Amino acid sequence: ACGSLVFEGDMYNNSTNFKDTILNALGCDSVIRHVNIVIYPNVAREVVVDTFGCGSVVFEGATYTSSTTLNKLFLSEHGCDSVNRTVNISVENFELSLSMSPENPYKGEMVTISTNANVDDYTILSWSPPSMFKDQYAYEQFIKIITDGAVKVVAQSENGCVDSAIINYNVQPLSYGVFIPNAFSPNNDGVNDVFVPKLYMQRAYNINVLRIYDRFGKAVYNSSGNQVSWNGNYLNGNAAELGTYHYFIEVAFIDDEKRQFKGDVTLIR
């Protein structure tokens, strides 16, 4: 037996042997019986197996694509507990990704290309095309985009798994057009409350000057920047009078092209 044995009401934990005499119905000796009791060990030895793979692990003919733990009890040739095996299967599905900001760059615009991964620790191995990137091991690049293209990055996780990511991009042509309203009504009704030039492009330019003159040629407003607008107030903060004003706008584009716009706008309250 394995571990212990009960024989004719008695418990045996160790191997032993004995003999006794079996009597017949009349009480005379009939059979001399020899009893050999063998007790085999029944305590399983603990064995732990650790295995790792990138993407998948093949163990004993089965493929595992995610981490798992397997337990199996092995028996001896006598059917007793022998080995209790625990297999820790670790699978890392390392995934690298790329992002570009802004996503749809204009010709000549500077963009940021950033790497990201589903693990905390990873190392950049290369950027392609290499001629565009002097630092081949940077996690982020800041470059000027001129033509359509693609960027590929190869990285390795801390556990040695390798993955690559590709981002394709298209370059938008520059547009120098601008829409300038000829009237506005700063009455805080949420409709045409400010005078603001609206360029056809979302970015890639800077408004160097937005200047407003009254009918006598006196400047009543002056500002610069891509978020400029005139709310209908004088420089001292007082509300401007109704009437027609003159504007002068200068816009600088990323290709060093400059455009100037002049005209009239009517302030209505």
Side-chain angles (χ1 to χ4, degrees):
C2 298
S4 64
L5 172 68
V6 176
F7 181 73
E8 293 184 344
D10 294 322
M11 173 73 73
Y12 297 89
N13 296 312
N14 298 294
S15 299
T16 187
N17 59 78
F18 58 87
K19 69 178 181 178
D20 58 7
T21 301
I22 299 176
L23 304 180
N24 62 17
L26 298 176
C28 302
D29 294 348
S30 174
V31 175
I32 298 176
R33 181 178 66 175
H34 293 267
V35 179
N36 294 313
I37 295 177
V38 180
I39 305 298
Y40 296 108
N42 196 43
V43 178
R45 179 169 56 94
E46 297 291 336
V47 175
V48 178
V49 178
D50 294 321
T51 182
F52 174 82
C54 298
S56 65
V57 169
V58 178
F59 184 79
E60 293 184 340
T63 300
Y64 300 88
T65 58
S66 60
S67 298
T68 187
T69 300
L70 307 176
N71 291 291
K72 185 175 182 179
L73 179 64
F74 292 86
L75 303 180
S76 67
E77 59 181 338
H78 304 292
C80 304
D81 294 351
S82 176
V83 174
N84 185 24
R85 186 187 68 182
T86 301
V87 181
N88 297 314
I89 297 177
S90 298
V91 178
E92 181 178 81
N93 294 297
F94 176 49
E95 294 181 0
L96 182 71
S97 62
L98 287 176
S99 62
M100 175 179 288
S101 180
E103 295 183 352
N104 299 304
Y106 291 100
K107 182 179 180 180
E109 190 173 15
M110 300 297 294
V111 300
T112 300
I113 304 177
S114 303
T115 64
N116 195 16
N118 60 343
V119 298
D120 293 332
D121 296 317
Y122 62 97
T123 302
I124 302 299
L125 301 180
S126 66
W127 288 79
S128 297
S131 58
M132 293 176 59
F133 308 101
K134 293 183 179 180
D135 187 353
Q136 285 287 294
Y137 310 107
Y139 291 90
E140 188 175 83
Q141 301 282 3
F142 187 59
I143 61 172
K144 180 185 288 188
I145 298 296
I146 302 298
T147 60
D148 297 348
V151 172
K152 178 181 179 181
V153 180
V154 180
Q156 184 179 54
S157 72
E158 186 180 26
N159 295 318
C161 298
V162 177
D163 191 31
S164 62
I166 298 177
I167 186 169
N168 298 289
Y169 56 88
N170 296 314
V171 175
Q172 300 185 75
L174 297 179
S175 174
Y176 305 112
V178 59
F179 169 74
I180 303 176
N182 56 14
F184 75 113
S185 56
N187 54 8
N188 296 321
D189 65 351
V191 180
N192 298 325
D193 285 330
V194 296
F195 171 72
V196 56
K198 297 181 180 180
L199 281 84
Y200 295 166
M201 297 197 304
Q202 297 177 346
R203 305 174 308 276
Y205 66 87
N206 183 69
I207 298 179
N208 291 341
V209 176
L210 171 58
R211 191 173 294 127
I212 307 297
Y213 300 92
D214 62 16
R215 64 180 183 274
F216 302 108
K218 180 182 177 181
V220 298
Y221 179 81
N222 186 28
S223 187
S224 62
N226 291 351
Q227 303 299 322
V228 298
S229 62
W230 184 38
N231 61 1
N233 291 340
Y234 291 130
L235 293 174
N236 60 10
N238 295 329
E241 297 178 357
L242 303 181
T244 300
Y245 293 82
H246 309 287
Y247 63 80
F248 172 78
I249 302 172
E250 181 180 89
V251 182
F253 297 88
I254 58 173
D255 61 349
D256 296 327
E257 176 76 14
K258 290 183 179 180
R259 296 290 175 93
Q260 295 180 347
F261 306 92
K262 300 177 182 178
D264 296 332
V265 59
T266 301
L267 190 157
I268 304 171
R269 292 190 187 278

